[in-house]
Amino acid sequence: MDRPSWDATLRIVNAAAALPELDTILTDTVAALGGNSHAFFSGTLVHDIRQEPGTIFQRPPTCLHRYPAAWQARYYAECYYKDDPIIWAGLRSVLPVRWSELERTASGRAQRIFVEAREHGLKAGFSVAVHGGARAFSMLSLTFPEEGDAVERHIDAHIHGVHLLVLHLHAAVRRIEAAAEPLSTAPALTPREQEVLRWMANGKTYGQIGQILGITERTVREHLDRAANKLGVDSKIQLVAEAVARGLTLA
């Protein structure tokens, strides 16, 4: 198992102008590490994952993967994505997660996922997640055809390099997608959502907006929550900034 040239790899990632270029460098890097498959996905998380069973993204994420077709078919047929301990660990942490560590505490369907992944040749692996602004989220899982102490030591030697790679992949995907879909392309906000945003951008409080529009403060908050979900932001400050940047607060 070789060691990739991280400096050269990151330069290529940062210069990439299209997703196929990222796919190629990712595939080559995984091969240089001795991996036998990988899955990278990147997208924008839903506003409240707990209220969106079965999905974590607002729309289908960008995917660059080389998982075995049979395992993909099994994974989606069984809806394993709802209980995948690897995904949920990545959602809760910014640090790399080893599959061997997660498997030790797995039970039920989570344990079955590890067992069946191993049956499909994914015998060891680790995953790295990136949490960006406006609920942007990316994750790379890299697997190996063997397991044991030697593989775990190999993971130790390269896990930090892969962590850095995922940070750059995350930034590259966002850059490439932003170029393909200009910022001025606004989500489908309702007229009332835009109206509430305009008043918020003018410094009005929830109560003041409610009085101006003749609605309750609770309704104001509901409109803003829906707008935040569509714009992919978490806070009032981010919501106003994103709305202004997209021209959504213009009368």
Side-chain angles (χ1 to χ4, degrees), residues 197-210:
L197 277 174
R198 280 197 294 272
W199 285 115
M200 175 167 280
N202 286 323
K204 301 299 183 182
T205 66
Y206 298 135
Q208 290 170 335
I209 296 172

Side-chain angles (χ1 to χ4, degrees), residues 63-140:
C63 295
L64 307 173
H65 60 84
R66 291 289 186 275
Y67 270 0
W71 171 236
Q72 291 184 59
R74 175 68 177 172
Y75 187 90
Y76 287 104
E78 294 295 323
C79 299
Y80 280 155
Y81 51 85
K82 295 182 179 180
D83 304 287
D84 192 335
I86 298 166
I87 291 177
W88 289 103
L91 289 169
R92 297 186 182 101
S93 177
V94 296
L95 299 176
V97 293
R98 293 168 173 273
W99 290 16
S100 57
E101 294 176 356
L102 293 177
E103 187 173 9
R104 279 197 290 269
T105 58
S107 61
R109 276 170 61 87
Q111 185 179 50
R112 192 194 315 168
I113 290 172
F114 284 115
V115 171
E116 294 190 12
R118 187 179 290 106
E119 292 172 353
H120 285 84
L122 287 61
K123 296 185 178 180
F126 66 97
S127 301
V128 181
V130 175
H131 299 255
R135 291 202 306 283
F137 179 78
S138 296
M139 191 170 189
L140 171 66

Side-chain angles (χ1 to χ4, degrees), residues 178-194:
E181 183 179 354
L183 189 62
S184 59
T185 301
L189 297 186
T190 66
R192 180 49 62 92
E193 288 166 355
Q194 289 184 265

Side-chain angles (χ1 to χ4, degrees), residues 8-9 12-13 20-30 165 169:
T9 298
I12 296 173
V13 169
E21 295 177 57
L22 296 181
D23 189 29
T24 296
I25 189 61
L26 179 57
T27 301
D28 291 345
T29 301
V30 172
L165 171 63
L169 284 171

